[in-house]
Amino acid sequence: MKKGDCLMTLLLMLAGLMAGMTIPVQTAVNSRLRGYTKSPFIASWVSFLIGSIILIALALVFEHSWTFDVHILAVNPWWIWFGGGALGVFFLTSNILLMPRLGSALTVVITLCGQMVMALLIDHFGWFGVPIHELNLPRVIGIAMMFFGVILMQRY
């Protein structure tokens, strides 16, 4: 790998690390919001509403045209349009409900384990058109170590 490629990979991994660091903060903030709204669903709704407003503003600034061919709705599967948002609601609301009971660290690590299990399945079978990366012993060991970490965090 070239030096420039290594640096780019390192920067992208750092960006991913920083993005991952926002999840427990988001969960803590939304759990606090749940206390004020008295509902995990309203707290999730507020979070998605603010996120949508920010995304609209970003799209207006960075996307110079807002053209949308309605024909693409008919030629693509329905789940492409609804799946991400529906799963986002499930994930966000689940985190709001889990954090007060499990704590921040255990909530993050158990949902991360769930993400890794699904990511391994998606990679192995090439679901959703992603390149296939077959399940192998090092990956199985990695996920087993993650679950061992969950046990340690839960017990101590």
Side-chain angles (χ1 to χ4, degrees):
M1 187 180 287
K2 295 183 224 172
K3 185 177 181 179
D5 291 344
C6 287
L7 180 59
M8 181 54 74
T9 299
L10 182 63
L11 289 173
L12 291 172
M13 289 174 65
L14 181 61
L17 181 67
M18 291 173 60
M21 291 172 74
T22 66
I23 300 299
V25 174
Q26 179 193 36
T27 302
V29 168
N30 286 329
S31 292
R32 184 82 181 264
L33 180 60
R34 175 196 182 194
Y36 292 112
T37 63
K38 308 287 190 250
S39 168
F41 305 108
I42 293 173
S44 291
W45 176 78
V46 169
S47 182
F48 276 96
L49 176 65
I50 298 303
S52 294
I53 291 169
I54 292 169
L55 284 171
I56 289 169
L58 288 170
L60 288 171
V61 169
F62 292 106
E63 302 295 328
H64 300 292
S65 71
W66 265 41
T67 59
F68 184 79
D69 183 5
V70 292
H71 175 70
I72 63 173
L73 291 172
V75 297
N76 289 291
W78 67 270
W79 51 265
I80 286 178
W81 307 107
F82 298 100
L87 292 170
V89 167
F90 178 76
F91 180 75
L92 180 66
T93 307
S94 295
N95 277 349
I96 290 171
L97 293 168
L98 292 171
M99 183 176 270
R101 291 176 176 88
L102 299 180
S104 181
L106 191 54
T107 297
V108 168
V109 76
I110 196 65
T111 56
L112 181 59
C113 283
Q115 290 174 52
M116 288 304 301
V117 167
M118 185 52 69
L120 288 172
L121 291 170
I122 291 169
D123 275 355
H124 181 75
F125 293 108
W127 292 338
F128 309 107
V130 303
I132 292 177
H133 298 277
E134 290 185 8
L135 190 61
N136 55 32
L137 185 59
R139 287 176 166 228
V140 171
I141 291 170
I143 197 78
M145 290 174 73
M146 288 182 71
F147 277 103
F148 181 68
V150 168
I151 292 167
L152 288 176
M153 294 190 86
Q154 188 270 331
R155 295 191 91 206
Y156 304 103

